[in-house]
Amino acid sequence: MSGEVPALVVYDGECIFCQNYVRMLRLRDSVGPVELVDARSDDPRVAAIAAQGFDLDHGMVFSYRERIYHGSDAVHALALLASPSSLFNRMNALLFSRPAIARLSYPWLKAGRRATLWLRGRKRIAQSPAAGD
């Protein structure tokens, strides 16, 4: 396992739902090392992901085993891989392990994120200082 590239989750660090979601997943139990990266940071991987056409204002990114998942696909992949060791993970798997349910519910999750950012007076990622504005 040494030299193995860890799983990577790029999420909006200003979104309280996103923060709690990535903290509550027990992903390390099932996939090994996981790096959590705030999409608002100046981490070069954020810019690399954006350069590949992934809009972080429209969804988190999960990278695992040389594959990149974005938005509802990321939530679906995370639901399939997360350990069932907690009630949260079992509920997450129940909801998002079905691709159609993940796709249908993801716009509602994004709307909740946007509303929360607006209520907290936070800007979208594309408007944040680390994004080049």
Side-chain angles (χ1 to χ4, degrees):
M1 282 216 168
S2 64
E4 186 176 318
V5 176
L8 174 70
V9 178
V10 181
Y11 68 100
D12 185 354
E14 288 289 333
C15 170
I16 57 174
F17 298 118
C18 304
Q19 290 171 5
N20 289 320
Y21 180 78
V22 297
R23 284 189 191 126
M24 292 179 77
L25 278 177
R26 297 203 190 276
L27 198 56
R28 286 179 179 89
D29 295 349
S30 56
V31 302
V34 179
E35 290 188 51
L36 303 177
V37 175
D38 183 348
R40 295 172 186 270
S41 73
D42 60 358
D43 187 301
R45 293 171 293 186
V46 174
I49 286 168
Q52 292 178 58
F54 296 103
D55 186 341
L56 293 166
D57 269 320
H58 290 284
M60 67 171 25
V61 164
F62 172 54
S63 176
Y64 182 62
R65 293 190 174 167
E66 299 183 26
R67 182 152 182 216
I68 297 176
Y69 304 88
H70 180 244
S72 65
D73 292 333
V75 171
H76 171 67
L78 289 166
L80 293 175
L81 290 170
S83 164
S85 62
S86 71
L87 177 61
F88 174 81
N89 281 13
R90 289 191 297 276
M91 295 300 293
N92 185 55
L94 181 68
L95 290 172
F96 300 121
S97 63
R98 296 173 183 90
I101 293 175
R103 266 192 310 280
L104 289 171
S105 60
Y106 204 76
W108 292 101
L109 298 173
K110 287 187 339 184
R113 173 187 164 264
R114 283 192 307 270
T116 302
L117 291 174
W118 180 77
L119 287 169
R120 295 180 70 209
R122 304 300 200 272
K123 295 180 178 185
R124 293 185 342 229
I125 293 168
Q127 297 172 327
S128 68
D133 281 358

